[in-house]
Amino acid sequence: MSDAPLVLSHATKRFGGFTAVNDLSFEVPAGQIIGFLGPNGAGKSTSLRMSLGVMQPDEGEVRLFGARPDLKNLKRVGFLPEERGLYKKMNARDTITYFARLKGMSAGDARARADELLETTGLGKFRTTRISKLSKGMAQKVQILSTLAHRPDFLILDEPFSGLDPVNQQTLEDLIKAEHARGATILFSTHVMEHAERLCDRIVMLARGRKVLDGTLDEAYATLGSGARITLEPGFDLPAALAPKGFGVHRAADKGPGEAWRVDLAPGQGPQDALRAVLEAGAPVIGFQPEEARLRDVFVSLVGEAEAAALDAPAGAATEETV
Amino acid sequence: MMRNIYLVFRRDYLGYVKAWGFWLSLAAVPLFLIVGASFGYFAATASPVRYFAVVEPSRIYADAIEGEFQRRSSEAAAEARALAEQMNIPLSEAEGQVADAAGGRKFIEVPAPARTLEELRPWLTGERTISGPAGERPLFAVFILSEDGSQLEYWSGDVNVDTLQRTAEIAMRDLSRRDALAASGLDPDFLKQADAAAVKVPAFRLNATQAGESGAEVTMADRAPTIVSAALAYFLWLMIFSIIQYLLMGTIEERSNKIFDTLLTSVQLPQLLAGKMLAVFAVTSTMMLSWSLFAIVGSAVSASQVPGMGDMIQPFIAAVTDPKLIIPALVSFVLGYILYGTLFMALGSLCDTIQEAQTLLSPMMILLMLPMFAIFVAFQDPGSPIVDIASWVPLFTPFLLILRMPHDPPMWEVLAQMGMMVVITALVVWGATKVYRAGAVHGAGIGELGGMIKRAVGMKPKAG
């Protein structure tokens, strides 16, 4: 049995007639940063809550450091929930100290660690300020610090960037990198693809409760392939002209004069091959740009396919997520 | 495990006691008593001397009113002397107080300066004053005998202060009785003598375990266990009553703050519940103990100052330390607290807002009033079959078992009821934990409670 920080094996969770997470399997290897992506209601938070033992899977299994989640192995975990919440009447220092002590730190160590973290993140002068008196961003920072205070081996962050301004988003990115450099394994869910692209070693993508991708960023890009953006004078039927040559052609959003098309490239084909084929077909070209896939495109494509598949599924198979 | 319970307890306890409201509540009872007592004292001493006059052809009614005032003064003086003797205060020192008690009259009769109400009006309204033992003052009131002699009319600008009028009523009644007795040829003190000669009805307690003994007259030692058990039952009720808001509001705060997920990755749900219950118990205990300390200090001061007070307190101390009463009382107290506490906490976990919680408060209050009625009935008539039956109703058992203990219920009943309380409390804790988990972890609302209960009793298939 793997002692990886987290392994989900065929985990399924249902709420009434609604399947929130469906046969989900993936592993978080030690020392990596994993991005957990998916649209709203995809089952990310439910998966994370199952990973922590807050709720049990109806089917399948969750292993945290090789064992079922319990207080012993959860002491090695720091968890930032999607819905932030702190005791509003406690001050910043007591809050961090309290959660660090619950994770097993002694009172003295926890207090010293709270002071150190508040100082390094610029909140030193607010250490005795009540949470209710802090700005939303500051309170969120305090919660993040509460998650890190006991120096966990494994950090699970559910939408850590939501609600933060760009400056604080950058601070959080730096914190995540610092924790990773310290040796922590990190799993975080996000909607912001740029964060995932900058931070992650691997991506696990979820749609409609099912895993649609599990791999490195390159493997993610490869699912979509590269292409070329061609802009023509209006009125030319490019799909018909390129179909005999085996190119897939889709209409793309116009960004200026003319009609924009995206030409998909098969493995081994380059953008020049597409341009050559278009010119040979006599198309009135007014623009040309090679296109590399971004994570956002992969996300839209894979999630879009899953959504379309769900729409094709028999009625009643899915309802609105309530939990 | 204990460490986590302690940490949750500590945080919650400090959270409560650091709030202003806690200190206000703590100080409210002693302050209320001190202010109330001081207010009463100052009201009595600060009351001014007031003059009154009686308009009548002779001095029959004026003398009767004066007689009633003197009788009261004599009574007060006698009580003051008796108290001085009890407290070993030298009579010479007490004489001044006795004189004060006798002479501290607030209403003094003065000769009427006129004979009709219209003529007396300037003195009654304060336009004119009259000379008397306390100097120049207006008239506070006048009594005017009606022309047919059937009414002694009381006229005053301030009818809210009715002491004088009531004193006059008592004086008139006594005067009438004395006249009637005299007309019948009886001694004026005939009624008092008749009352004194009435057959006494003393109460005796039959000693059932010692057939040879006839028993003894009922004393405070016999009544103390009943009073102590009633106080304990009421204390338990008061404690439960006062924790409702703590448990409801505390749980709502955590639910609305979305803090459960963070907590539940660090502590188990039963640990969380135990820590919170202990914290609220400690908060209410702190209040109750502080108030008790205030009462104990007051009693100790009284016992040191008033001879005989120590003997009066002794039976209560004996009752409180009697294992036959205190062991079942402690079991009932702890289990009753857990039973009601977990119930309220579970309901609180289903509420998102204070408004939602307020809708729950009414049924909770009704739920709590039922044991209060049961306590009242049991205190009035502990041997009543209704009390026996009601003591088997789980919601009443913790209170009624305490109340029944001084009346020697059968041992099997005591053990069976304690066993029943253990089982019922365990069931309630089990169910409340489920409800709490549904509310805290899964975000279930109060509207889903019915479905949960149906599922628990098997009336509704489980979802999924």
Side-chain angles (χ1 to χ4, degrees), chain B residues 59-126:
Chain B
R59 280 201 52 83
I60 296 171
Y61 301 115
D63 288 345
I65 294 169
E66 180 60 24
E68 177 60 20
F69 274 123
Q70 281 182 7
R71 187 187 64 76
R72 288 184 184 189
S73 295
S74 304
E75 269 183 18
E79 281 173 15
R81 281 198 193 90
L83 194 63
E85 275 173 27
Q86 264 193 345
M87 295 171 73
N88 296 324
I89 298 171
L91 211 58
S92 55
E93 278 182 33
E95 283 300 328
Q97 294 172 23
V98 171
D100 282 349
R105 288 262 301 271
K106 299 295 180 188
F107 293 98
I108 295 173
E109 194 218 339
V110 292
R115 304 304 293 174
T116 67
L117 183 62
E118 280 312 307
E119 289 166 355
L120 287 164
R121 188 178 290 277
W123 283 276
L124 284 167
T125 56

Coordinates of all heavy atoms in Angstrom, one line a residue, chain B residues 59-126:
Chain B
R59 N -62.6 64.0 70.2 CA -61.3 63.4 69.7 C -61.4 61.9 69.7 O -60.3 61.2 69.8 CB -60.3 63.9 70.7 CG -59.8 65.3 70.5 CD -58.4 65.6 71.1 NE -57.4 64.6 70.7 CZ -56.7 64.6 69.6 NH1 -56.9 65.6 68.7 NH2 -55.8 63.7 69.4
I60 N -62.6 61.4 69.4 CA -62.7 59.9 69.4 C -61.8 59.3 68.3 O -61.0 58.4 68.6 CB -64.1 59.5 69.2 CG1 -65.0 59.9 70.4 CG2 -64.3 57.9 69.0 CD1 -66.5 59.7 70.2
Y61 N -62.0 59.8 67.1 CA -61.3 59.2 66.0 C -59.8 59.5 65.9 O -58.9 58.7 65.6 CB -62.0 59.5 64.6 CG -63.4 59.1 64.6 CD1 -64.5 60.0 64.6 CD2 -63.7 57.7 64.7 CE1 -65.8 59.5 64.6 CE2 -65.0 57.3 64.7 CZ -66.1 58.2 64.7 OH -67.4 57.7 64.8
A62 N -59.5 60.8 66.3 CA -58.1 61.2 66.4 C -57.4 60.3 67.4 O -56.2 59.9 67.1 CB -58.0 62.7 66.7
D63 N -58.0 60.1 68.5 CA -57.3 59.2 69.5 C -57.2 57.8 69.1 O -56.1 57.1 69.4 CB -58.1 59.2 70.8 CG -58.0 60.6 71.6 OD1 -57.1 61.4 71.2 OD2 -58.8 60.9 72.5
A64 N -58.2 57.3 68.3 CA -58.1 55.9 67.8 C -56.9 55.8 66.9 O -56.1 54.8 66.9 CB -59.4 55.6 67.1
I65 N -56.7 56.8 66.0 CA -55.6 56.8 65.0 C -54.3 56.9 65.8 O -53.3 56.1 65.5 CB -55.7 57.9 64.0 CG1 -57.0 57.7 63.1 CG2 -54.5 58.0 63.1 CD1 -57.4 58.8 62.2
E66 N -54.2 57.8 66.7 CA -53.0 58.0 67.5 C -52.7 56.7 68.3 O -51.5 56.2 68.3 CB -53.2 59.1 68.5 CG -52.1 59.4 69.4 CD -50.8 59.8 68.7 OE1 -50.9 60.3 67.5 OE2 -49.7 59.6 69.2
G67 N -53.8 56.0 68.8 CA -53.6 54.7 69.5 C -53.0 53.7 68.6 O -52.1 52.9 69.0
E68 N -53.4 53.6 67.3 CA -52.9 52.6 66.4 C -51.4 52.9 66.1 O -50.6 52.0 66.1 CB -53.7 52.7 65.1 CG -53.2 51.7 64.0 CD -53.2 50.3 64.4 OE1 -54.0 49.9 65.3 OE2 -52.5 49.5 63.7
F69 N -51.1 54.2 65.9 CA -49.6 54.5 65.7 C -48.8 54.1 66.9 O -47.7 53.6 66.8 CB -49.5 56.0 65.4 CG -49.7 56.4 64.0 CD1 -50.6 57.3 63.6 CD2 -48.9 55.8 63.0 CE1 -50.8 57.6 62.2 CE2 -49.0 56.1 61.7 CZ -50.0 57.0 61.3
Q70 N -49.3 54.4 68.1 CA -48.6 54.0 69.3 C -48.4 52.5 69.5 O -47.4 52.0 69.9 CB -49.3 54.6 70.6 CG -49.0 56.1 70.7 CD -49.6 56.8 71.9 OE1 -50.2 56.1 72.7 NE2 -49.5 58.1 72.0
R71 N -49.5 51.8 69.1 CA -49.4 50.3 69.2 C -48.3 49.8 68.3 O -47.5 49.0 68.7 CB -50.8 49.7 68.8 CG -50.9 48.2 69.0 CD -52.1 47.6 68.4 NE -52.2 47.8 67.0 CZ -51.5 47.0 66.1 NH1 -50.7 46.1 66.6 NH2 -51.6 47.2 64.8
R72 N -48.2 50.4 67.1 CA -47.2 49.9 66.2 C -45.8 50.3 66.7 O -44.8 49.5 66.6 CB -47.4 50.6 64.8 CG -48.5 50.0 64.1 CD -48.7 50.6 62.7 NE -49.8 50.1 62.1 CZ -50.1 50.4 60.8 NH1 -49.3 51.1 60.1 NH2 -51.2 49.9 60.2
S73 N -45.7 51.5 67.3 CA -44.4 51.9 67.8 C -44.0 51.0 69.0 O -42.8 50.6 69.0 CB -44.5 53.4 68.4 OG -44.8 54.2 67.3
S74 N -44.9 50.6 69.8 CA -44.6 49.7 70.9 C -44.1 48.4 70.4 O -43.2 47.8 70.9 CB -45.8 49.5 71.8 OG -46.3 50.7 72.2
E75 N -44.8 47.9 69.4 CA -44.4 46.6 68.8 C -43.0 46.7 68.2 O -42.2 45.8 68.4 CB -45.4 46.2 67.6 CG -46.6 45.4 68.1 CD -47.5 45.0 67.0 OE1 -47.1 45.0 65.8 OE2 -48.6 44.6 67.3
A76 N -42.7 47.8 67.5 CA -41.4 47.9 66.9 C -40.3 48.0 68.0 O -39.3 47.4 67.8 CB -41.4 49.2 66.0
A77 N -40.7 48.7 69.1 CA -39.7 48.9 70.2 C -39.5 47.5 70.8 O -38.3 47.2 71.1 CB -40.2 49.9 71.2
A78 N -40.5 46.7 71.0 CA -40.4 45.4 71.6 C -39.5 44.5 70.7 O -38.6 43.8 71.2 CB -41.8 44.8 71.8
E79 N -39.7 44.5 69.4 CA -38.9 43.7 68.5 C -37.5 44.1 68.5 O -36.6 43.3 68.5 CB -39.5 43.8 67.1 CG -40.7 43.0 66.8 CD -41.3 43.2 65.5 OE1 -40.7 43.9 64.6 OE2 -42.5 42.9 65.3
A80 N -37.3 45.5 68.6 CA -35.9 46.0 68.6 C -35.2 45.5 69.9 O -34.0 45.1 69.9 CB -35.9 47.5 68.5
R81 N -35.9 45.6 71.0 CA -35.3 45.1 72.3 C -35.0 43.6 72.2 O -33.9 43.2 72.6 CB -36.3 45.4 73.5 CG -36.3 46.8 73.9 CD -36.9 46.9 75.3 NE -37.1 48.3 75.6 CZ -38.3 49.0 75.3 NH1 -39.3 48.3 74.7 NH2 -38.4 50.3 75.5
A82 N -35.9 42.8 71.7 CA -35.7 41.4 71.6 C -34.5 41.1 70.7 O -33.6 40.2 71.1 CB -36.9 40.7 71.0
L83 N -34.4 41.8 69.6 CA -33.2 41.6 68.7 C -31.9 42.0 69.4 O -30.9 41.3 69.2 CB -33.4 42.4 67.4 CG -32.5 42.0 66.2 CD1 -32.8 40.6 65.8 CD2 -32.8 43.0 65.1
A84 N -32.0 43.1 70.1 CA -30.8 43.6 70.8 C -30.3 42.5 71.8 O -29.1 42.3 72.0 CB -31.1 44.9 71.5
E85 N -31.3 41.9 72.5 CA -30.9 40.9 73.5 C -30.3 39.7 72.8 O -29.3 39.1 73.2 CB -32.2 40.4 74.2 CG -32.5 41.3 75.4 CD -33.8 41.0 76.0 OE1 -34.3 39.8 75.9 OE2 -34.5 41.9 76.6
Q86 N -30.9 39.3 71.6 CA -30.4 38.1 70.9 C -29.0 38.4 70.4 O -28.1 37.5 70.4 CB -31.3 37.9 69.6 CG -32.3 36.8 69.9 CD -33.0 36.4 68.5 OE1 -32.9 37.1 67.5 NE2 -33.7 35.3 68.6
M87 N -28.7 39.6 69.9 CA -27.4 39.9 69.4 C -26.4 40.4 70.4 O -25.3 40.8 70.1 CB -27.6 41.0 68.3 CG -28.4 40.5 67.1 SD -28.8 41.8 65.9 CE -27.2 42.2 65.2
N88 N -26.8 40.3 71.7 CA -26.0 40.6 72.8 C -25.5 42.1 72.8 O -24.4 42.4 73.2 CB -24.7 39.7 72.9 CG -25.1 38.3 73.2 OD1 -26.1 38.0 74.0 ND2 -24.4 37.3 72.6
I89 N -26.3 42.9 72.2 CA -26.0 44.4 72.2 C -26.4 44.9 73.6 O -27.6 44.7 74.0 CB -26.7 45.1 71.1 CG1 -26.3 44.5 69.7 CG2 -26.5 46.6 71.1 CD1 -27.1 45.0 68.6
P90 N -25.5 45.6 74.3 CA -25.9 46.2 75.6 C -27.2 47.1 75.4 O -27.3 47.8 74.4 CB -24.7 47.1 75.9 CG -23.6 46.5 75.1 CD -24.1 46.0 73.9
L91 N -28.0 46.9 76.4 CA -29.3 47.6 76.3 C -29.2 49.1 76.2 O -30.0 49.8 75.5 CB -30.2 47.2 77.5 CG -31.7 47.1 77.3 CD1 -32.0 46.2 76.1 CD2 -32.5 46.7 78.5
S92 N -28.1 49.6 76.9 CA -27.9 51.0 76.9 C -27.7 51.5 75.4 O -28.2 52.6 75.0 CB -26.7 51.4 77.7 OG -25.6 50.7 77.3
E93 N -26.9 50.7 74.6 CA -26.7 51.1 73.2 C -28.0 50.9 72.4 O -28.2 51.7 71.5 CB -25.6 50.2 72.6 CG -24.2 50.6 72.9 CD -23.2 49.7 72.2 OE1 -23.5 49.2 71.1 OE2 -22.1 49.4 72.8
A94 N -28.7 49.9 72.8 CA -29.9 49.6 72.0 C -31.0 50.6 72.3 O -31.9 50.8 71.5 CB -30.4 48.2 72.4
E95 N -30.9 51.3 73.5 CA -32.0 52.2 73.9 C -32.2 53.3 72.8 O -33.4 53.6 72.5 CB -31.7 52.9 75.2 CG -31.9 52.0 76.4 CD -33.3 51.5 76.6 OE1 -34.2 52.2 76.2 OE2 -33.5 50.4 77.1
G96 N -31.1 53.8 72.3 CA -31.2 54.8 71.2 C -32.0 54.3 70.0 O -32.9 54.9 69.5
Q97 N -31.7 53.0 69.6 CA -32.4 52.5 68.5 C -33.8 52.2 68.8 O -34.7 52.4 67.9 CB -31.7 51.1 68.1 CG -30.3 51.3 67.5 CD -29.6 50.0 67.3 OE1 -30.2 49.0 67.2 NE2 -28.2 50.1 67.4
V98 N -34.0 51.7 70.1 CA -35.4 51.5 70.5 C -36.2 52.8 70.5 O -37.4 52.8 70.0 CB -35.4 50.8 71.9 CG1 -36.9 50.8 72.4 CG2 -34.8 49.5 71.9
A99 N -35.5 53.8 70.9 CA -36.2 55.1 70.9 C -36.5 55.5 69.5 O -37.6 56.1 69.2 CB -35.4 56.1 71.6
D100 N -35.5 55.3 68.6 CA -35.8 55.6 67.2 C -37.0 54.9 66.6 O -37.8 55.4 65.9 CB -34.5 55.3 66.4 CG -33.5 56.3 66.5 OD1 -33.8 57.4 67.1 OD2 -32.3 56.1 66.1
A101 N -36.9 53.5 67.0 CA -38.0 52.7 66.5 C -39.4 53.2 67.0 O -40.4 53.2 66.3 CB -37.8 51.2 66.9
A102 N -39.4 53.6 68.3 CA -40.6 54.0 68.9 C -41.0 55.4 68.4 O -42.2 55.8 68.2 CB -40.5 54.0 70.4
G103 N -39.9 56.3 68.3 CA -40.2 57.7 68.1 C -40.1 58.1 66.6 O -40.4 59.3 66.3
G104 N -39.7 57.2 65.8 CA -39.4 57.6 64.4 C -40.7 57.7 63.6 O -40.8 57.1 62.5
R105 N -41.7 58.4 64.1 CA -43.0 58.5 63.4 C -42.9 59.4 62.2 O -42.3 60.5 62.2 CB -44.0 59.1 64.4 CG -44.4 58.2 65.5 CD -45.8 57.5 65.2 NE -46.8 58.5 64.9 CZ -47.6 59.0 65.9 NH1 -47.5 58.5 67.1 NH2 -48.5 59.8 65.6
K106 N -43.5 59.0 61.1 CA -43.5 59.8 59.9 C -44.8 60.5 59.7 O -44.9 61.4 58.9 CB -43.3 58.8 58.7 CG -42.0 58.1 58.7 CD -40.8 59.0 58.6 CE -39.5 58.3 58.6 NZ -38.4 59.2 58.7
F107 N -45.8 60.2 60.5 CA -47.1 60.9 60.5 C -47.4 61.5 61.9 O -47.5 60.7 62.8 CB -48.2 60.0 60.0 CG -48.0 59.6 58.5 CD1 -47.5 58.4 58.2 CD2 -48.4 60.4 57.5 CE1 -47.3 58.0 56.9 CE2 -48.2 60.1 56.2 CZ -47.7 58.8 55.9
I108 N -47.6 62.8 62.0 CA -47.9 63.4 63.3 C -49.2 64.2 63.2 O -49.3 65.0 62.2 CB -46.7 64.3 63.7 CG1 -45.4 63.4 63.9 CG2 -47.0 65.1 64.9 CD1 -44.2 64.2 64.2
E109 N -50.0 64.0 64.2 CA -51.3 64.7 64.2 C -51.0 66.1 64.7 O -50.3 66.3 65.7 CB -52.3 64.0 65.0 CG -53.7 64.6 64.8 CD -54.5 64.6 66.0 OE1 -54.2 63.9 67.0 OE2 -55.5 65.4 66.1
V110 N -51.6 67.1 64.1 CA -51.6 68.5 64.5 C -53.0 69.0 64.6 O -53.9 68.5 64.0 CB -50.7 69.4 63.6 CG1 -49.3 69.1 63.6 CG2 -51.3 69.4 62.2
P111 N -53.3 70.1 65.4 CA -54.6 70.6 65.5 C -55.1 71.1 64.2 O -54.3 71.8 63.5 CB -54.5 71.7 66.5 CG -53.2 71.4 67.3 CD -52.3 70.8 66.4
A112 N -56.3 70.9 63.8 CA -56.8 71.4 62.5 C -56.9 72.9 62.5 O -57.5 73.5 63.4 CB -58.2 70.8 62.2
P113 N -56.3 73.6 61.6 CA -56.3 75.1 61.5 C -57.6 75.6 61.0 O -57.9 76.8 61.1 CB -55.2 75.4 60.6 CG -55.0 74.2 59.7 CD -55.4 73.1 60.5
A114 N -58.5 74.8 60.5 CA -59.8 75.2 60.0 C -60.8 74.0 60.1 O -60.3 72.9 60.4 CB -59.7 75.7 58.6
R115 N -62.1 74.2 59.8 CA -63.0 73.1 60.0 C -63.6 72.6 58.7 O -64.2 71.5 58.7 CB -64.2 73.7 60.9 CG -63.8 74.3 62.2 CD -63.0 73.3 63.1 NE -63.8 72.2 63.6 CZ -63.2 71.2 64.2 NH1 -61.9 71.2 64.5 NH2 -64.0 70.2 64.6
T116 N -63.5 73.3 57.6 CA -64.0 72.7 56.4 C -62.9 72.5 55.3 O -61.8 73.1 55.5 CB -65.1 73.7 55.7 OG1 -64.4 74.9 55.3 CG2 -66.2 74.1 56.7
L117 N -63.2 71.7 54.4 CA -62.2 71.4 53.4 C -61.8 72.6 52.6 O -60.6 72.8 52.3 CB -62.8 70.3 52.4 CG -61.8 69.8 51.3 CD1 -60.7 69.1 51.9 CD2 -62.6 68.9 50.3
E118 N -62.7 73.5 52.2 CA -62.4 74.7 51.5 C -61.5 75.6 52.3 O -60.5 76.1 51.8 CB -63.7 75.4 51.1 CG -64.4 74.9 49.9 CD -63.4 74.6 48.7 OE1 -62.7 75.6 48.3 OE2 -63.4 73.5 48.2
E119 N -61.8 75.7 53.6 CA -60.9 76.5 54.5 C -59.5 75.9 54.6 O -58.5 76.6 54.8 CB -61.6 76.7 55.8 CG -62.8 77.6 55.8 CD -63.6 77.5 57.1 OE1 -63.3 76.6 58.0 OE2 -64.6 78.2 57.2
L120 N -59.5 74.5 54.6 CA -58.2 73.8 54.8 C -57.3 73.7 53.6 O -56.2 73.4 53.7 CB -58.5 72.4 55.3 CG -59.0 72.2 56.8 CD1 -59.6 70.8 57.0 CD2 -57.8 72.5 57.7
R121 N -57.9 74.0 52.4 CA -57.2 73.9 51.1 C -55.9 74.5 51.1 O -54.9 73.9 50.7 CB -58.1 74.4 50.0 CG -57.6 74.1 48.6 CD -58.5 74.6 47.5 NE -59.8 73.8 47.5 CZ -59.9 72.6 46.8 NH1 -58.9 72.1 46.2 NH2 -61.0 72.0 46.8
P122 N -55.7 75.8 51.6 CA -54.3 76.4 51.5 C -53.3 75.6 52.2 O -52.1 75.6 51.8 CB -54.5 77.8 52.2 CG -56.0 78.1 52.1 CD -56.7 76.7 52.1
W123 N -53.7 75.0 53.4 CA -52.7 74.2 54.1 C -52.4 72.9 53.4 O -51.2 72.4 53.4 CB -53.2 73.9 55.5 CG -53.1 75.0 56.5 CD1 -52.0 75.4 57.2 CD2 -54.1 76.0 56.7 NE1 -52.3 76.5 57.9 CE2 -53.6 76.9 57.6 CE3 -55.4 76.2 56.3 CZ2 -54.3 78.0 58.1 CZ3 -56.2 77.3 56.8 CH2 -55.6 78.2 57.7
L124 N -53.4 72.3 52.7 CA -53.2 71.1 52.0 C -52.4 71.2 50.7 O -51.7 70.3 50.3 CB -54.6 70.4 51.6 CG -55.3 69.8 52.8 CD1 -56.8 69.5 52.5 CD2 -54.6 68.5 53.2
T125 N -52.5 72.4 50.1 CA -51.8 72.6 48.8 C -50.4 73.2 49.1 O -49.7 73.4 48.1 CB -52.6 73.6 47.9 OG1 -52.9 74.8 48.6 CG2 -53.9 73.0 47.5
G126 N -50.1 73.5 50.3 CA -48.7 74.0 50.6 C -48.6 75.5 50.6 O -47.6 76.1 50.8

